Amino acid sequence: MKIAILGAMKEEIAPILAKVENYKKIRYANNDFYTATYQGLELVIAYSKIGKVFAALTATIMIEKFGCKKLLFSGVAGAINSNFKIGDLVIATALCQHDLDITAFGHPFGFVPEGDVCIATDKNFLDIARMVASEKNIDLKEGIIATGDQFVADEKRKFWIADEFKAHAVEMEGGSVAVVCNALNVPFFILRAISDSADMDAGFDFEEFLEESSLISADFLISMLDRLK
Ligand code: OS5
């Protein structure tokens, strides 16, 4: 059974590609997809490029063209919860889209008719992540992750997202991947390591910690794969 491993940026998947065996690059839809094996598991690895549209496109291709039956996302995120520090690992229990707004029609933020404000992560993956964290003595954080086509570097916006969606972290892809996987009945899991605090220092912190936090997330994801084999 093929498993999709997705990131948004090259830096987020580089440490995963470094750990897999004999990968082969396939160019499709303006993107590179790497088919690989890891401990007998068949993987398809890609970075989507930044934002909801690219992430949804790439997730769909991994499922519909490459036949992936499960999807795991690894990458970085901005912290909303003030207890989350740079380098902390966060798993999304559910995902929402903070920039989806048809409130002019009386709907709540993040909602469109026939959709849901939040989409829950696969329970089995959450259990595996909690098990891996407990074995490795890692203080794994969890909660709702809010997604939007915006790099949040502003406390006012961050506190609004926290208040409106009860979100603990923010990023730019997970919510759209959740929509795709939910529609296509593919169990999914979104893992992020904190790279910044979505505040006025976010741009600097992100650049400084992108590589380090990507590696933290990738290492944990690889440990989860060890449990799936
Ligand atoms: O993928 C985007 C979302 N990621 C998570 C994240 C986040 N999201 C929202 N708000 C925050 N505070 C967040 N913190 C972490 C990270 C990523 C953010 S957008 C970063 C863009 C950085 C960049 N722009 N140009 N380059 C890098 C150089 C470049 C040039 C050519 C090709 C590729 C890169």
Side-chain angles (χ1 to χ4, degrees):
M1 185 194 32
K2 281 190 202 165
I3 301 172
I5 310 287
L6 179 58
M9 300 180 70
K10 191 186 274 184
E11 291 84 349
E12 290 173 321
I13 65 155
I16 297 168
L17 283 177
K19 290 247 167 99
V20 298
E21 298 127 27
N22 338 299
Y23 66 76
K24 200 176 99 195
K25 184 163 98 176
I26 298 166
R27 185 87 188 154
Y28 185 77
N30 290 336
N31 210 352
D32 294 328
F33 294 83
Y34 300 90
T35 58
T37 55
Y38 176 76
Q39 312 261 347
L41 293 171
E42 274 187 281
L43 307 178
V44 181
I45 305 166
Y47 72 93
S48 58
K49 299 187 278 286
I50 293 161
K52 293 195 294 181
V53 175
F54 281 129
L57 171 68
T58 308
T60 305
I61 290 168
M62 290 171 115
I63 296 164
E64 292 286 299
K65 181 175 167 64
F66 288 92
C68 294
K69 302 291 182 215
K70 291 171 192 259
L71 185 148
L72 296 101
F73 190 107
S74 176
V76 302
I80 291 185
N81 183 324
S82 57
N83 294 321
F84 291 9
K85 302 297 172 217
I86 290 173
D88 280 355
L89 277 162
V90 189
I91 55 174
T93 50
L95 295 111
C96 62
Q97 298 181 61
H98 68 76
D99 58 348
L100 191 52
D101 178 358
I102 56 166
T103 54
F105 299 91
H107 297 297
F109 285 103
F111 177 83
V112 292
E114 301 183 50
D116 303 293
V117 173
C118 273
I119 298 177
T121 306
D122 178 66
K123 296 240 174 332
N124 192 36
F125 277 139
L126 292 179
D127 287 343
I128 293 171
R130 288 168 186 145
M131 210 143 54
V132 169
S134 135
E135 275 169 14
K136 293 181 168 280
N137 232 347
I138 290 172
D139 179 20
L140 183 65
K141 316 283 192 200
E142 49 182 86
I144 294 173
I145 291 185
T147 300
D149 282 326
Q150 176 184 48
F151 182 81
V152 178
D154 167 48
E155 294 222 304
K156 210 170 137 217
R157 179 73 188 165
K158 159 174 145 166
F159 293 138
W160 180 83
I161 295 169
D163 193 46
E164 186 65 37
F165 297 98
K166 309 296 163 235
H168 295 258
V170 67
E171 38 87 311
M172 301 178 66
E173 296 85 16
S176 65
V177 172
V179 170
V180 168
C181 292
N182 185 52
L184 297 174
N185 285 317
V186 169
F188 72 92
F189 175 77
I190 310 287
L191 172 70
R192 300 273 182 169
I194 298 299
S195 57
D196 58 86
S197 296
D199 55 11
M200 60 186 282
D201 297 326
F204 301 104
D205 289 341
F206 173 78
E207 288 192 333
E208 188 172 348
F209 295 106
L210 170 63
E211 232 173 274
E212 203 175 308
S213 293
S214 292
L215 179 61
I216 291 170
S217 179
D219 279 350
F220 192 87
L221 187 115
I222 295 278
S223 302
M224 286 182 66
L225 292 181
D226 289 330
R227 283 252 161 205
L228 291 180
K229 65 187 187 221

